mmCIF file with all atom_site columns, all heavy atoms in Angstrom:
data_model
loop_
_atom_site.group_PDB
_atom_site.id
_atom_site.type_symbol
_atom_site.label_atom_id
_atom_site.label_alt_id
_atom_site.label_comp_id
_atom_site.label_asym_id
_atom_site.label_entity_id
_atom_site.label_seq_id
_atom_site.pdbx_PDB_ins_code
_atom_site.Cartn_x
_atom_site.Cartn_y
_atom_site.Cartn_z
_atom_site.occupancy
_atom_site.B_iso_or_equiv
_atom_site.pdbx_formal_charge
_atom_site.auth_seq_id
_atom_site.auth_comp_id
_atom_site.auth_asym_id
_atom_site.auth_atom_id
_atom_site.pdbx_PDB_model_num
ATOM 1   N N   . LYS A 1 166 ? 103.335 81.686 119.841 1.00 86.00 ? 194 LYS A N   1
ATOM 2   C CA  . LYS A 1 166 ? 103.038 80.447 119.115 1.00 86.00 ? 194 LYS A CA  1
ATOM 3   C C   . LYS A 1 166 ? 101.640 79.908 119.422 1.00 86.00 ? 194 LYS A C   1
ATOM 4   O O   . LYS A 1 166 ? 101.188 78.966 118.798 1.00 86.00 ? 194 LYS A O   1
ATOM 5   C CB  . LYS A 1 166 ? 104.065 79.376 119.476 1.00 86.00 ? 194 LYS A CB  1
ATOM 6   C CG  . LYS A 1 166 ? 105.426 79.655 118.888 1.00 86.00 ? 194 LYS A CG  1
ATOM 7   C CD  . LYS A 1 166 ? 106.290 78.409 119.015 1.00 86.00 ? 194 LYS A CD  1
ATOM 8   C CE  . LYS A 1 166 ? 107.707 78.710 118.593 1.00 86.00 ? 194 LYS A CE  1
ATOM 9   N NZ  . LYS A 1 166 ? 108.658 78.547 119.688 1.00 86.00 ? 194 LYS A NZ  1
ATOM 10  N N   . ILE A 1 167 ? 100.975 80.467 120.442 1.00 88.00 ? 195 ILE A N   1
ATOM 11  C CA  . ILE A 1 167 ? 99.681  79.914 120.841 1.00 88.00 ? 195 ILE A CA  1
ATOM 12  C C   . ILE A 1 167 ? 98.561  80.580 120.064 1.00 88.00 ? 195 ILE A C   1
ATOM 13  O O   . ILE A 1 167 ? 98.450  81.803 120.034 1.00 88.00 ? 195 ILE A O   1
ATOM 14  C CB  . ILE A 1 167 ? 99.420  80.158 122.336 1.00 88.00 ? 195 ILE A CB  1
ATOM 15  C CG1 . ILE A 1 167 ? 100.570 79.625 123.170 1.00 88.00 ? 195 ILE A CG1 1
ATOM 16  C CG2 . ILE A 1 167 ? 98.108  79.494 122.759 1.00 88.00 ? 195 ILE A CG2 1
ATOM 17  C CD1 . ILE A 1 167 ? 100.446 79.991 124.628 1.00 88.00 ? 195 ILE A CD1 1
ATOM 18  N N   . LYS A 1 168 ? 97.730  79.766 119.460 1.00 86.00 ? 196 LYS A N   1
ATOM 19  C CA  . LYS A 1 168 ? 96.583  80.316 118.742 1.00 86.00 ? 196 LYS A CA  1
ATOM 20  C C   . LYS A 1 168 ? 95.589  80.836 119.781 1.00 86.00 ? 196 LYS A C   1
ATOM 21  O O   . LYS A 1 168 ? 95.255  80.147 120.721 1.00 86.00 ? 196 LYS A O   1
ATOM 22  C CB  . LYS A 1 168 ? 95.931  79.218 117.911 1.00 86.00 ? 196 LYS A CB  1
ATOM 23  C CG  . LYS A 1 168 ? 94.918  79.740 116.915 1.00 86.00 ? 196 LYS A CG  1
ATOM 24  C CD  . LYS A 1 168 ? 94.565  78.636 115.930 1.00 86.00 ? 196 LYS A CD  1
ATOM 25  C CE  . LYS A 1 168 ? 93.454  79.062 115.002 1.00 86.00 ? 196 LYS A CE  1
ATOM 26  N NZ  . LYS A 1 168 ? 93.690  80.345 114.313 1.00 86.00 ? 196 LYS A NZ  1
ATOM 27  N N   . GLY A 1 169 ? 95.173  82.083 119.635 1.00 87.00 ? 197 GLY A N   1
ATOM 28  C CA  . GLY A 1 169 ? 94.225  82.648 120.594 1.00 87.00 ? 197 GLY A CA  1
ATOM 29  C C   . GLY A 1 169 ? 94.822  83.737 121.471 1.00 87.00 ? 197 GLY A C   1
ATOM 30  O O   . GLY A 1 169 ? 94.117  84.413 122.195 1.00 87.00 ? 197 GLY A O   1
ATOM 31  N N   . VAL A 1 170 ? 96.167  83.899 121.396 1.00 88.00 ? 198 VAL A N   1
ATOM 32  C CA  . VAL A 1 170 ? 96.789  84.999 122.144 1.00 88.00 ? 198 VAL A CA  1
ATOM 33  C C   . VAL A 1 170 ? 96.707  86.273 121.308 1.00 88.00 ? 198 VAL A C   1
ATOM 34  O O   . VAL A 1 170 ? 97.068  86.273 120.138 1.00 88.00 ? 198 VAL A O   1
ATOM 35  C CB  . VAL A 1 170 ? 98.266  84.677 122.476 1.00 88.00 ? 198 VAL A CB  1
ATOM 36  C CG1 . VAL A 1 170 ? 98.990  85.911 122.981 1.00 88.00 ? 198 VAL A CG1 1
ATOM 37  C CG2 . VAL A 1 170 ? 98.325  83.574 123.518 1.00 88.00 ? 198 VAL A CG2 1
ATOM 38  N N   . ILE A 1 171 ? 96.194  87.341 121.911 1.00 85.00 ? 199 ILE A N   1
ATOM 39  C CA  . ILE A 1 171 ? 96.013  88.594 121.174 1.00 85.00 ? 199 ILE A CA  1
ATOM 40  C C   . ILE A 1 171 ? 97.159  89.550 121.450 1.00 85.00 ? 199 ILE A C   1
ATOM 41  O O   . ILE A 1 171 ? 97.802  90.073 120.547 1.00 85.00 ? 199 ILE A O   1
ATOM 42  C CB  . ILE A 1 171 ? 94.683  89.267 121.580 1.00 85.00 ? 199 ILE A CB  1
ATOM 43  C CG1 . ILE A 1 171 ? 93.519  88.341 121.252 1.00 85.00 ? 199 ILE A CG1 1
ATOM 44  C CG2 . ILE A 1 171 ? 94.513  90.605 120.860 1.00 85.00 ? 199 ILE A CG2 1
ATOM 45  C CD1 . ILE A 1 171 ? 92.280  88.660 122.039 1.00 85.00 ? 199 ILE A CD1 1
ATOM 46  N N   . SER A 1 172 ? 97.422  89.809 122.715 1.00 84.00 ? 200 SER A N   1
ATOM 47  C CA  . SER A 1 172 ? 98.523  90.721 123.046 1.00 84.00 ? 200 SER A CA  1
ATOM 48  C C   . SER A 1 172 ? 99.034  90.395 124.434 1.00 84.00 ? 200 SER A C   1
ATOM 49  O O   . SER A 1 172 ? 98.387  89.674 125.186 1.00 84.00 ? 200 SER A O   1
ATOM 50  C CB  . SER A 1 172 ? 98.050  92.180 122.995 1.00 84.00 ? 200 SER A CB  1
ATOM 51  O OG  . SER A 1 172 ? 97.155  92.443 124.061 1.00 84.00 ? 200 SER A OG  1
ATOM 52  N N   . PHE A 1 173 ? 100.209 90.935 124.748 1.00 84.00 ? 201 PHE A N   1
ATOM 53  C CA  . PHE A 1 173 ? 100.729 90.741 126.094 1.00 84.00 ? 201 PHE A CA  1
ATOM 54  C C   . PHE A 1 173 ? 101.599 91.927 126.432 1.00 84.00 ? 201 PHE A C   1
ATOM 55  O O   . PHE A 1 173 ? 102.174 92.568 125.564 1.00 84.00 ? 201 PHE A O   1
ATOM 56  C CB  . PHE A 1 173 ? 101.536 89.448 126.219 1.00 84.00 ? 201 PHE A CB  1
ATOM 57  C CG  . PHE A 1 173 ? 102.369 89.138 125.016 1.00 84.00 ? 201 PHE A CG  1
ATOM 58  C CD1 . PHE A 1 173 ? 103.565 89.794 124.795 1.00 84.00 ? 201 PHE A CD1 1
ATOM 59  C CD2 . PHE A 1 173 ? 101.935 88.205 124.083 1.00 84.00 ? 201 PHE A CD2 1
ATOM 60  C CE1 . PHE A 1 173 ? 104.325 89.522 123.676 1.00 84.00 ? 201 PHE A CE1 1
ATOM 61  C CE2 . PHE A 1 173 ? 102.694 87.925 122.952 1.00 84.00 ? 201 PHE A CE2 1
ATOM 62  C CZ  . PHE A 1 173 ? 103.890 88.587 122.753 1.00 84.00 ? 201 PHE A CZ  1
ATOM 63  N N   . THR A 1 174 ? 101.655 92.248 127.720 1.00 83.00 ? 202 THR A N   1
ATOM 64  C CA  . THR A 1 174 ? 102.499 93.341 128.188 1.00 83.00 ? 202 THR A CA  1
ATOM 65  C C   . THR A 1 174 ? 103.242 92.835 129.403 1.00 83.00 ? 202 THR A C   1
ATOM 66  O O   . THR A 1 174 ? 102.643 92.184 130.261 1.00 83.00 ? 202 THR A O   1
ATOM 67  C CB  . THR A 1 174 ? 101.651 94.540 128.664 1.00 83.00 ? 202 THR A CB  1
ATOM 68  O OG1 . THR A 1 174 ? 100.355 94.417 128.139 1.00 83.00 ? 202 THR A OG1 1
ATOM 69  C CG2 . THR A 1 174 ? 102.246 95.823 128.182 1.00 83.00 ? 202 THR A CG2 1
ATOM 70  N N   . PHE A 1 175 ? 104.524 93.144 129.450 1.00 83.00 ? 203 PHE A N   1
ATOM 71  C CA  . PHE A 1 175 ? 105.323 92.698 130.579 1.00 83.00 ? 203 PHE A CA  1
ATOM 72  C C   . PHE A 1 175 ? 105.478 93.788 131.617 1.00 83.00 ? 203 PHE A C   1
ATOM 73  O O   . PHE A 1 175 ? 105.627 94.955 131.278 1.00 83.00 ? 203 PHE A O   1
ATOM 74  C CB  . PHE A 1 175 ? 106.708 92.266 130.093 1.00 83.00 ? 203 PHE A CB  1
ATOM 75  C CG  . PHE A 1 175 ? 106.668 91.030 129.251 1.00 83.00 ? 203 PHE A CG  1
ATOM 76  C CD1 . PHE A 1 175 ? 106.682 91.121 127.866 1.00 83.00 ? 203 PHE A CD1 1
ATOM 77  C CD2 . PHE A 1 175 ? 106.585 89.789 129.840 1.00 83.00 ? 203 PHE A CD2 1
ATOM 78  C CE1 . PHE A 1 175 ? 106.621 89.971 127.086 1.00 83.00 ? 203 PHE A CE1 1
ATOM 79  C CE2 . PHE A 1 175 ? 106.521 88.640 129.076 1.00 83.00 ? 203 PHE A CE2 1
ATOM 80  C CZ  . PHE A 1 175 ? 106.542 88.725 127.692 1.00 83.00 ? 203 PHE A CZ  1
ATOM 81  N N   . GLN A 1 176 ? 105.398 93.396 132.885 1.00 83.00 ? 204 GLN A N   1
ATOM 82  C CA  . GLN A 1 176 ? 105.741 94.299 133.985 1.00 83.00 ? 204 GLN A CA  1
ATOM 83  C C   . GLN A 1 176 ? 106.939 93.650 134.655 1.00 83.00 ? 204 GLN A C   1
ATOM 84  O O   . GLN A 1 176 ? 106.793 92.878 135.613 1.00 83.00 ? 204 GLN A O   1
ATOM 85  C CB  . GLN A 1 176 ? 104.547 94.431 134.942 1.00 83.00 ? 204 GLN A CB  1
ATOM 86  C CG  . GLN A 1 176 ? 103.331 95.037 134.241 1.00 83.00 ? 204 GLN A CG  1
ATOM 87  C CD  . GLN A 1 176 ? 102.045 94.865 135.030 1.00 83.00 ? 204 GLN A CD  1
ATOM 88  O OE1 . GLN A 1 176 ? 101.978 94.107 135.996 1.00 83.00 ? 204 GLN A OE1 1
ATOM 89  N NE2 . GLN A 1 176 ? 101.008 95.569 134.613 1.00 83.00 ? 204 GLN A NE2 1
ATOM 90  N N   . MET A 1 177 ? 108.115 93.946 134.093 1.00 84.00 ? 205 MET A N   1
ATOM 91  C CA  . MET A 1 177 ? 109.321 93.219 134.499 1.00 84.00 ? 205 MET A CA  1
ATOM 92  C C   . MET A 1 177 ? 109.633 93.383 135.983 1.00 84.00 ? 205 MET A C   1
ATOM 93  O O   . MET A 1 177 ? 110.075 92.447 136.631 1.00 84.00 ? 205 MET A O   1
ATOM 94  C CB  . MET A 1 177 ? 110.522 93.692 133.662 1.00 84.00 ? 205 MET A CB  1
ATOM 95  C CG  . MET A 1 177 ? 110.391 93.428 132.176 1.00 84.00 ? 205 MET A CG  1
ATOM 96  S SD  . MET A 1 177 ? 110.318 91.655 131.801 1.00 84.00 ? 205 MET A SD  1
ATOM 97  C CE  . MET A 1 177 ? 112.037 91.198 132.051 1.00 84.00 ? 205 MET A CE  1
ATOM 98  N N   . ALA A 1 178 ? 109.386 94.570 136.522 1.00 83.00 ? 206 ALA A N   1
ATOM 99  C CA  . ALA A 1 178 ? 109.765 94.841 137.910 1.00 83.00 ? 206 ALA A CA  1
ATOM 100 C C   . ALA A 1 178 ? 109.075 93.880 138.874 1.00 83.00 ? 206 ALA A C   1
ATOM 101 O O   . ALA A 1 178 ? 109.621 93.532 139.921 1.00 83.00 ? 206 ALA A O   1
ATOM 102 C CB  . ALA A 1 178 ? 109.428 96.282 138.273 1.00 83.00 ? 206 ALA A CB  1
ATOM 103 N N   . VAL A 1 179 ? 107.868 93.443 138.520 1.00 87.00 ? 207 VAL A N   1
ATOM 104 C CA  . VAL A 1 179 ? 107.141 92.544 139.419 1.00 87.00 ? 207 VAL A CA  1
ATOM 105 C C   . VAL A 1 179 ? 106.982 91.140 138.819 1.00 87.00 ? 207 VAL A C   1
ATOM 106 O O   . VAL A 1 179 ? 106.161 90.350 139.263 1.00 87.00 ? 207 VAL A O   1
ATOM 107 C CB  . VAL A 1 179 ? 105.752 93.126 139.798 1.00 87.00 ? 207 VAL A CB  1
ATOM 108 C CG1 . VAL A 1 179 ? 105.919 94.282 140.765 1.00 87.00 ? 207 VAL A CG1 1
ATOM 109 C CG2 . VAL A 1 179 ? 104.976 93.568 138.564 1.00 87.00 ? 207 VAL A CG2 1
ATOM 110 N N   . GLN A 1 180 ? 107.775 90.852 137.776 1.00 90.00 ? 208 GLN A N   1
ATOM 111 C CA  . GLN A 1 180 ? 107.760 89.525 137.130 1.00 90.00 ? 208 GLN A CA  1
ATOM 112 C C   . GLN A 1 180 ? 106.358 89.122 136.677 1.00 90.00 ? 208 GLN A C   1
ATOM 113 O O   . GLN A 1 180 ? 105.923 87.997 136.906 1.00 90.00 ? 208 GLN A O   1
ATOM 114 C CB  . GLN A 1 180 ? 108.306 88.455 138.075 1.00 90.00 ? 208 GLN A CB  1
ATOM 115 C CG  . GLN A 1 180 ? 109.777 88.641 138.398 1.00 90.00 ? 208 GLN A CG  1
ATOM 116 C CD  . GLN A 1 180 ? 110.343 87.417 139.094 1.00 90.00 ? 208 GLN A CD  1
ATOM 117 O OE1 . GLN A 1 180 ? 109.814 86.957 140.090 1.00 90.00 ? 208 GLN A OE1 1
ATOM 118 N NE2 . GLN A 1 180 ? 111.430 86.888 138.566 1.00 90.00 ? 208 GLN A NE2 1
ATOM 119 N N   . ARG A 1 181 ? 105.676 90.073 136.036 1.00 90.00 ? 209 ARG A N   1
ATOM 120 C CA  . ARG A 1 181 ? 104.322 89.760 135.576 1.00 90.00 ? 209 ARG A CA  1
ATOM 121 C C   . ARG A 1 181 ? 104.165 89.931 134.081 1.00 90.00 ? 209 ARG A C   1
ATOM 122 O O   . ARG A 1 181 ? 104.894 90.686 133.458 1.00 90.00 ? 209 ARG A O   1
ATOM 123 C CB  . ARG A 1 181 ? 103.314 90.682 136.255 1.00 90.00 ? 209 ARG A CB  1
ATOM 124 C CG  . ARG A 1 181 ? 103.084 90.266 137.678 1.00 90.00 ? 209 ARG A CG  1
ATOM 125 C CD  . ARG A 1 181 ? 101.887 90.950 138.245 1.00 90.00 ? 209 ARG A CD  1
ATOM 126 N NE  . ARG A 1 181 ? 101.706 90.530 139.628 1.00 90.00 ? 209 ARG A NE  1
ATOM 127 C CZ  . ARG A 1 181 ? 100.772 90.996 140.420 1.00 90.00 ? 209 ARG A CZ  1
ATOM 128 N NH1 . ARG A 1 181 ? 99.935  91.915 139.972 1.00 90.00 ? 209 ARG A NH1 1
ATOM 129 N NH2 . ARG A 1 181 ? 100.660 90.560 141.660 1.00 90.00 ? 209 ARG A NH2 1
ATOM 130 N N   . CYS A 1 182 ? 103.178 89.226 133.572 1.00 90.00 ? 210 CYS A N   1
ATOM 131 C CA  . CYS A 1 182 ? 102.827 89.381 132.172 1.00 90.00 ? 210 CYS A CA  1
ATOM 132 C C   . CYS A 1 182 ? 101.296 89.417 132.107 1.00 90.00 ? 210 CYS A C   1
ATOM 133 O O   . CYS A 1 182 ? 100.630 88.531 132.634 1.00 90.00 ? 210 CYS A O   1
ATOM 134 C CB  . CYS A 1 182 ? 103.370 88.198 131.371 1.00 90.00 ? 210 CYS A CB  1
ATOM 135 S SG  . CYS A 1 182 ? 103.020 88.338 129.621 1.00 90.00 ? 210 CYS A SG  1
ATOM 136 N N   . VAL A 1 183 ? 100.770 90.486 131.496 1.00 87.00 ? 211 VAL A N   1
ATOM 137 C CA  . VAL A 1 183 ? 99.318  90.616 131.351 1.00 87.00 ? 211 VAL A CA  1
ATOM 138 C C   . VAL A 1 183 ? 98.983  90.192 129.930 1.00 87.00 ? 211 VAL A C   1
ATOM 139 O O   . VAL A 1 183 ? 99.463  90.787 128.966 1.00 87.00 ? 211 VAL A O   1
ATOM 140 C CB  . VAL A 1 183 ? 98.881  92.079 131.581 1.00 87.00 ? 211 VAL A CB  1
ATOM 141 C CG1 . VAL A 1 183 ? 97.369  92.207 131.426 1.00 87.00 ? 211 VAL A CG1 1
ATOM 142 C CG2 . VAL A 1 183 ? 99.328  92.558 132.963 1.00 87.00 ? 211 VAL A CG2 1
ATOM 143 N N   . VAL A 1 184 ? 98.202  89.123 129.800 1.00 89.00 ? 212 VAL A N   1
ATOM 144 C CA  . VAL A 1 184 ? 97.945  88.545 128.481 1.00 89.00 ? 212 VAL A CA  1
ATOM 145 C C   . VAL A 1 184 ? 96.466  88.691 128.126 1.00 89.00 ? 212 VAL A C   1
ATOM 146 O O   . VAL A 1 184 ? 95.597  88.377 128.938 1.00 89.00 ? 212 VAL A O   1
ATOM 147 C CB  . VAL A 1 184 ? 98.308  87.032 128.467 1.00 89.00 ? 212 VAL A CB  1
ATOM 148 C CG1 . VAL A 1 184 ? 98.344  86.497 127.043 1.00 89.00 ? 212 VAL A CG1 1
ATOM 149 C CG2 . VAL A 1 184 ? 99.645  86.788 129.133 1.00 89.00 ? 212 VAL A CG2 1
#
Side-chain angles (χ1 to χ4, degrees):
K194 289 193 187 117
I195 306 173
K196 192 167 174 52
V198 168
I199 299 159
S200 69
F201 38 78
T202 342
F203 292 98
Q204 298 166 348
M205 298 296 286
V207 287
Q208 294 192 307
R209 284 193 181 177
C210 182
V211 180
V212 193

